[in-house]
Amino acid sequence: MAAVLPGSAETATSQQDGLSAGSSGGGAAGASAWPRPRWWLRLLVLAALLLLLLWPRPAWGVSDAVPAGDGPQVARGAQLFEQHCAGCHVNGGNILRRGKTLKLAALERYGRADPAVIATIAAAGVGQMGGYAAVLGDGGPEAVAGWVWQQAQAGWPRG
């Protein structure tokens, strides 16, 4: 019996014979590697695609809507918050310290239910949070504080 070298004509012929024998439909060996999708599988894929299209936007995404209030100042505060604060304070929460949120009840509990106090904290920091005065720029802490106060009073509605 002669050895068959890889890449030779005899190897290619034997591989083709094996493929055609396996796909001839005889029992388990004849089953294709990818069975036909059932009607329910197609329905499931369609439902998943519809769900992805209709799913609400994530809360941490930048909202196109400008919050009602003081116009440009509130819009600037919302934009600055999304850029610099929302990473830790998603929807007014706090990913590092659960109790230290920007929700109205927490602000009242810790004696911070005032836009001036919120602006001071945004600028100088408190506890584990550092100050962001340089990053927020002139009037930035006040703009963020005004927007945070507005959201806290509204219960941090999702947009």
Side-chain angles (χ1 to χ4, degrees), residues 70 73-82 85 102 104 107 112-124 129 132 136-137 139-153 156:
D70 299 328
Q73 183 73 358
V74 172
R76 181 171 179 240
Q79 181 182 21
L80 288 171
F81 184 87
E82 290 293 332
C85 311
L102 300 175
L104 187 58
L107 293 172
R112 298 175 181 156
D114 179 17
V117 174
I118 297 170
T120 302
I121 293 171
M129 181 182 142
Y132 287 86
L136 295 174
E142 291 78 17
V144 169
W147 188 79
V148 166
W149 182 245
Q150 181 185 43
Q151 295 302 304
Q153 289 180 320
W156 284 90

Side-chain angles (χ1 to χ4, degrees), residues 57-68 74-83 86 91 147 151 157-159:
R57 289 177 38 176
W60 58 85
V62 176
S63 175
D64 295 333
V66 175
V74 172
R76 181 171 179 240
Q79 181 182 21
L80 288 171
F81 184 87
E82 290 293 332
Q83 291 174 344
N91 281 334
W147 188 79
Q151 295 302 304
R158 297 177 187 220

